[in-house]
């Protein structure tokens, strides 16, 4: 006979396992942001269906895996834009964005200005500027309390 507590313990263990897999996906995005990554590849690496990964990732981190990836790429790009010897196209490629339009659109959405305006603003004040960091990129809803 199965005790009710065993069922709850099994559900809790599965939830912790899922959170650990989500953390590994997030860590992979943080490490490999410049590589071609898509939700299908991330899901295969986590041994989950892509839809389930997207739903659970959004619940845990407040944004989809793609949005998290783009936020990481833009965050890295803001730091690189402070270096005058790199042009915008080189920076875009270095952070893994193949399309100039997609890069410019996401950059403008997240930072509030296009890359060239961000760089222009940084000229002469680079010592005072710090790279942009997304407000919710480090959100870990539920992870800190589980110890996963």
């Amino acid at each position: 006979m199965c005790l009710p507590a065993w069922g709850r313990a099994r559900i809790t263990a599965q939830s912790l396992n899922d959170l650990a897999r989500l953390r590994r996906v997030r860590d992979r995005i943080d490490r490999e942001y410049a590589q071609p990554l898509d939700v299908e590849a991330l899901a295969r690496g986590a041994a989950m269906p892509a839809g389930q990964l997207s739903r659970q990732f959004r619940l845990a981190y407040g944004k989809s895996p793609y949005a998290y990836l783009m936020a990481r790429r833009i965050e890295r790009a803001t730091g690189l834009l402070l270096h005058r010897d790199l042009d915008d196209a080189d920076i875009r490629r270095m952070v893994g964005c193949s399309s100039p339009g997609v890069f410019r659109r996401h950059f403008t959405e997240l930072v509030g200005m296009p890359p060239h305006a961000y760089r222009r603003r940084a000229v002469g004040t680079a010592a005072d500027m710090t790279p942009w960091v997304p407000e919710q990129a480090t959100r870990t809803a539920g992870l800190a309390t589980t110890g996963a």
Side-chain angles (χ1 to χ4, degrees), residues 22-34 37 39 42 53-54 57-58 60-76 95 97 106 110 132-141 143:
L22 291 174
R23 180 178 285 162
R24 286 192 296 274
V25 168
R26 186 197 63 197
D27 291 346
R28 180 177 176 193
I29 291 171
D30 288 343
R31 264 190 332 273
E32 300 175 19
Y33 66 89
L37 291 174
V39 176
L42 294 169
L53 172 66
S54 290
F57 196 95
R58 185 182 302 275
Y61 297 108
K63 55 180 70 175
S64 70
Y66 178 76
Y68 185 86
L69 171 62
M70 288 308 295
R72 282 292 170 237
R73 286 176 171 170
I74 299 307
E75 177 186 359
R76 299 323 194 265
V95 299
C97 291
H106 282 284
L110 294 170
W132 169 84
V133 178
E135 299 79 17
Q136 296 207 358
T138 57
R139 179 179 170 201
T140 55
L143 295 179

Side-chain angles (χ1 to χ4, degrees), residues 83-134:
H83 301 286
R84 295 183 203 181
D85 55 334
L86 300 171
D87 72 4
D88 292 0
D90 289 338
I91 291 170
R92 174 182 51 79
R93 284 189 293 273
M94 288 171 67
V95 299
C97 291
S98 57
S99 167
V102 170
F103 177 71
R104 189 173 30 260
R105 181 173 50 87
H106 282 284
F107 194 99
T108 303
E109 272 178 20
L110 294 170
V111 179
M113 64 185 77
H116 65 277
Y118 183 85
R119 180 189 298 263
R120 195 174 321 122
R121 187 174 139 228
V123 171
T125 61
D128 300 332
M129 285 191 70
T130 56
W132 169 84
V133 178

